[in-house]
Amino acid sequence: MSRALIELQHISKSYDGKPVLDDLELTIHENEFVTLLGPSGCGKTTTLRILGGFETPDEGHVIFDGKDITNVPPNKRQLNMVFQNYALFPHMTIADNIAFGLKIKRKTDKYIQDKISYALNLVGLQGFEKRMPGSLSGGQQQRIAIARAIVNEPHVLLLDEPLGALDLKLRQDMQYELIRLKNELGITFVYVTHDQQEALTMSDTIVVMNQGYIQQMGSPETIYNEPENAFVADFIGDSNLFPATFVRDELIEIDGRPFLCVDKGFGQNTPVDIVIRPEDVIITTPDKGTVTGVVTDLIFQGVHYEICIDVNGREWVCHSTEASLVGTMVGIAVDPFNIQVMNKPESEDEEAAAIEK
Amino acid sequence: MKNNRRANSFALFGMPYYFWAIAFIIIPLLLVLYYGLTSEAGTISLENVFAIARPAHAKALFLSVLLSVGCTVVCLLLAYPLCLIMVNRQKAQNSFLLFMLIIPMWMNFMLRTYAWQSLLEKHGVLNTFLNTIGLPSLHLINTPGAIIFGMVYDFLPFMILPIYNALQKIDPNLIHAAHDLGAGFWQTLWKVILPLSMPGIISGITMVFVPGLTTFVISALLGGGKVLLIGNVIEQEFTQAYDWHLGSGLSLVLLLFIVINMILSSVFDREGNGGLL
């Protein structure tokens, strides 16, 4: 892994006595695309604002490139932010918006002109210099906001749900655009979103947050395939999240029916949570399944059908390219390595503490 | 057909307002125009308008413009920093502060001016206090300074409210963005906050300058008849000299100043506002 660029050390923050972040520890490496992912109120935006210098943590330190910048104001930090609602200056032309930071740094006119055309080129909006922000579409304003940030050559670009206000198609286009930009510029991106699809698509590292704690940190593949607790499993993607009993190594029971798994070391007859992704549920004939159930719902979703199956009163969700008619009896099987076993949290605090192990 | 009927019913609801506008705005203005542009003999003449050039009138107009500009500048300098402070405070404290500032507005305007008269008088509250602590009396009443003081006191809320509204409408993220791009406090104020609050500043200036220009009560009470403003001259023509023609003629000149002010402010507003509208 490359050099650590930013370290958040024991960051705590509360508003009106309500804790938003509690003893947060996070290291961001050079040239990494890190996404802070979580539901609203999980502390992801506060973390970003602490990085940008718009909030001061109650406790803890922000270390940037080896220096403590906890109390350095935003205008003295070598990072730039792309705001949720773009925050383009409505009284300035696009060129003046992009030039804002450069003029403050007293760059030469020639340098500023070059930078403006370079940045507009990079975001694909050549010839927009004289336009006013109000005359641009949401997607175009977003690109200008990014252009305005990157001309300052920041070490880190902070992005606060930058695609939240765009429609689905534009959002997907912009996702690829951002990945391309990040690779071309070679700078660190810290991205905040509540959209798990966005996080999975773009990130090198995903930090899943909830209630001020980091729930899990890892590559998109790890987060998706090996969620460490029920919250992460539930938040990332659709899932069948069931209570189960860990009978012994490599064997669990779901509602009294035995399933083979690959996990070890959860003890004997221990209550656990398990997660099975809908695309990993195999529908077969009743005689071949580990359990049998009745199809209760069939919904066409484009790429696949979503099929709900009632198994002794518990609903299993399954994604399949083949339809199963409502009311038919089917068998269900799961490959052992597709069952993810997780410790059952006894409280929310423990859920969070599990990460630190 | 349907649209037509709807338009008709709207016109019906509009009737009282039309009546109001015609009876109390249009007709009086036309009367001023008629009296101002005719002589006592009833012939059309511009002599009452050009009467502004008489030294006494010109002096009063000049003094009016001067005091009104002074009052506007003082109001702006007082109001802008105050509004900046208010918008950066907590909401609850804010509305209390604003409430405190507006309370005097609910009191009768004449009463407030009388209050200042008794404060600033030769043997008034202020001088009594100064004497008590061993300082000499100040000559305050019946000076242009006292008039500006009274005007500022009366008109300050008209400057504060539009500026406060304009500042409050500025998205805090714009200010954060300016800081993020390296701007310090003064640069952010100059390049972002000031241009974006320009509509509020312009309307505040208009709301203070125009009543300041036309005031005659404040100058009568705090100027003691020693400082004659154009408003006092016009008032005297109507109430003492009974020369409605001269009074109207001078009013038309004042109206011209107000129209010029309105045009200027709308021009500046458009420039300062850019793409906002």
Side-chain angles (χ1 to χ4, degrees):
Chain A
M1 197 93 210
S2 56
R3 204 163 59 95
L5 187 63
I6 301 173
E7 279 174 66
L8 295 179
Q9 302 177 335
H10 306 287
I11 298 285
S12 296
K13 175 84 187 170
S14 48
Y15 294 112
D16 305 324
K18 238 184 95 189
V20 178
L21 294 175
D22 193 356
D23 201 24
L24 185 97
E25 292 274 339
L26 180 61
T27 303
I28 294 166
H29 298 88
E30 210 161 43
N31 206 0
E32 199 179 12
F33 196 128
V34 182
T35 300
L36 308 179
L37 175 67
S40 55
C42 72
K44 58 188 193 300
T45 299
T46 306
T47 308
L48 196 74
R49 294 175 70 83
I50 286 174
L51 278 174
F54 304 111
E55 304 278 359
T56 318
D58 299 337
E59 277 168 56
H61 297 277
V62 183
I63 309 294
F64 181 87
D65 214 2
K67 283 190 277 294
D68 188 335
I69 59 160
T70 316
N71 294 311
V72 174
N75 51 331
K76 304 270 190 254
R77 293 190 183 199
Q78 282 171 318
L79 19 83
N80 284 112
M81 181 135 156
V82 175
F83 291 86
Q84 195 167 8
N85 55 357
Y86 323 133
L88 297 178
F89 303 121
H91 58 299
M92 294 182 196
T93 62
I94 296 307
D96 285 339
N97 262 283
I98 296 174
F100 190 89
L102 300 173
K103 282 184 182 162
I104 299 239
K105 293 187 189 75
R106 301 189 182 283
K107 301 286 186 188
T108 61
D109 284 352
K110 172 87 176 68
Y111 179 89
I112 293 176
Q113 282 312 317
D114 287 350
K115 271 287 183 187
I116 292 173
S117 26
Y118 160 78
L120 285 176
N121 216 17
L122 199 65
V123 297
L125 291 175
Q126 299 93 325
F128 274 65
E129 285 89 344
K130 296 270 181 293
R131 299 273 295 270
M132 298 306 282
S135 71
L136 267 57
S137 71
Q140 289 169 334
Q141 290 191 31
Q142 184 57 72
R143 284 158 198 252
I144 297 300
I146 293 167
R148 183 178 68 175
I150 59 175
V151 289
N152 301 291
E153 299 176 356
H155 287 63
V156 181
L157 194 61
L158 308 175
L159 301 109
D160 184 8
E161 307 217 17
L163 309 183
L166 306 181
D167 62 58
L168 183 66
K169 185 76 184 70
L170 199 54
R171 201 153 70 213
Q172 286 168 344
D173 290 347
M174 282 301 288
Q175 287 174 14
Y176 293 113
E177 197 86 340
L178 282 171
I179 299 169
R180 178 182 67 83
L181 269 173
K182 198 227 138 211
N183 292 335
E184 267 179 52
L185 296 165
I187 57 178
T188 308
F189 275 38
V190 182
Y191 193 98
V192 159
T193 185
H194 62 264
D195 184 331
Q196 41 105 5
Q197 201 57 51
E198 224 167 81
L200 291 172
T201 309
M202 295 192 289
S203 320
D204 298 322
T205 306
I206 296 178
V207 180
V208 184
M209 296 179 70
N210 190 33
Q211 300 187 334
Y213 295 103
I214 294 178
Q215 300 290 326
Q216 188 174 355
M217 211 173 130
S219 69
E221 290 86 349
T222 315
I223 299 276
Y224 189 83
N225 292 326
E226 296 155 33
E228 281 176 11
N229 60 42
F231 174 80
V232 177
D234 193 38
F235 194 72
I236 310 278
D238 298 324
S239 52
N240 293 293
L241 187 62
F242 302 147
T245 309
F246 194 81
V247 181
R248 57 182 150 80
D249 285 358
E250 300 183 10
L251 180 69
I252 57 158
E253 260 180 19
I254 303 171
D255 297 330
R257 308 303 285 266
F259 280 81
L260 291 175
C261 68
V262 293
D263 293 271
K264 295 174 186 172
F266 286 85
Q268 291 206 330
N269 294 320
T270 321
V272 288
D273 280 325
I274 62 115
V275 60
I276 303 166
R277 297 291 177 191
E279 62 270 26
D280 294 332
V281 177
I282 303 161
I283 299 182
T284 63
T285 48
D287 55 309
K288 284 183 185 153
T290 318
V291 288
T292 55
V294 181
V295 177
T296 55
D297 250 321
L298 177 70
I299 302 155
F300 179 60
Q301 290 190 330
V303 182
H304 51 68
Y305 291 95
E306 183 169 292
I307 303 164
C308 300
I309 303 161
D310 181 79
V311 181
N312 303 325
R314 185 178 295 284
E315 184 180 77
W316 287 57
V317 178
C318 157
H319 289 169
S320 167
T321 48
E322 280 166 47
S324 303
L325 293 178
V326 173
T328 44
M329 178 72 100
V330 292
I332 289 176
V334 186
D335 281 334
F337 53 84
N338 280 333
I339 297 177
Q340 172 72 15
V341 181
M342 301 169 299
N343 273 318
K344 225 179 178 38
E346 272 169 19
S347 68
E348 276 166 3
D349 281 352
E350 194 176 316
E351 190 170 318
I355 311 308
E356 286 167 15
K357 273 192 266 177
Chain B
M1 197 55 195
K2 207 175 181 185
N3 270 339
N4 238 337
R5 198 176 297 166
R6 189 173 296 169
N8 281 339
S9 64
F10 269 119
L12 207 66
F13 280 122
M15 286 308 277
Y17 304 101
Y18 290 133
F19 174 76
W20 180 274
I22 290 168
F24 299 114
I25 300 171
I26 310 273
I27 291 177
L29 271 178
L30 287 175
L31 281 175
V32 170
L33 211 61
Y34 165 75
Y35 279 109
L37 296 178
T38 54
S39 68
E40 253 173 273
T43 55
I44 291 176
S45 120
L46 289 173
E47 63 172 305
N48 290 317
V49 176
F50 288 133
I52 192 69
R54 283 182 217 159
H57 295 163
K59 194 183 156 208
L61 180 66
F62 176 73
L63 199 60
S64 286
V65 173
L66 199 69
L67 292 189
S68 189
V69 167
C71 159
T72 308
V73 169
V74 173
C75 281
L76 187 61
L77 292 181
L78 284 176
Y80 204 84
L82 177 73
C83 292
L84 272 182
I85 293 167
M86 284 203 299
V87 290
N88 285 313
R89 286 173 77 105
Q90 298 287 323
K91 272 266 153 58
Q93 294 176 313
N94 232 342
S95 26
F96 178 70
L97 254 175
L98 208 60
F99 179 69
M100 294 296 286
L101 285 164
I102 291 171
I103 278 182
M105 272 179 78
W106 292 337
M107 244 183 306
N108 185 282
F109 156 82
M110 291 271 275
L111 203 65
R112 280 181 284 156
T113 313
Y114 272 118
W116 275 110
Q117 195 180 29
S118 69
L119 281 173
L120 298 178
E121 264 171 355
K122 207 170 185 179
H123 303 291
V125 177
L126 189 69
N127 276 332
T128 312
F129 172 73
L130 285 177
N131 292 336
T132 318
I133 61 170
L135 289 170
S137 299
L138 290 172
H139 176 63
L140 295 167
I141 199 79
N142 304 345
T143 62
I147 297 176
I148 289 193
F149 205 99
M151 290 204 288
V152 168
Y153 182 75
D154 281 333
F155 302 144
L156 188 61
F158 297 112
M159 186 66 91
I160 289 175
L161 289 178
I163 291 179
Y164 178 76
N165 276 335
L167 284 176
Q168 219 188 14
K169 268 192 223 145
I170 298 177
D171 177 0
N173 271 344
L174 288 177
I175 292 157
H176 287 154
H179 289 316
D180 183 69
L181 293 165
F185 171 78
W186 293 106
Q187 282 165 318
T188 306
L189 181 66
W190 187 248
K191 291 183 170 214
V192 178
I193 300 174
L194 208 59
L196 288 176
S197 59
M198 207 39 105
I201 295 175
I202 297 291
S203 89
I205 288 177
T206 310
M207 303 257 286
V208 171
F209 179 75
V210 172
L213 190 66
T214 54
T215 188
F216 61 93
V217 174
I218 299 172
S219 48
L221 291 177
L222 299 178
K226 298 220 170 73
V227 186
L228 218 54
L229 297 188
I230 190 72
N232 304 97
V233 174
I234 294 172
E235 187 227 350
Q236 284 169 9
E237 290 306 328
F238 279 99
T239 60
Q240 289 164 31
Y242 295 107
D243 189 346
W244 285 31
H245 295 276
L246 183 56
S248 298
L250 295 178
S251 296
L252 286 177
V253 176
L254 206 51
L255 202 62
L256 195 69
F257 269 79
I258 293 165
V259 170
I260 290 171
N261 176 311
M262 302 283 232
I263 292 171
L264 277 181
S265 61
S266 75
V267 167
F268 272 112
D269 200 12
R270 214 171 299 145
E271 281 176 358
N273 223 354
L276 259 187
L277 282 181

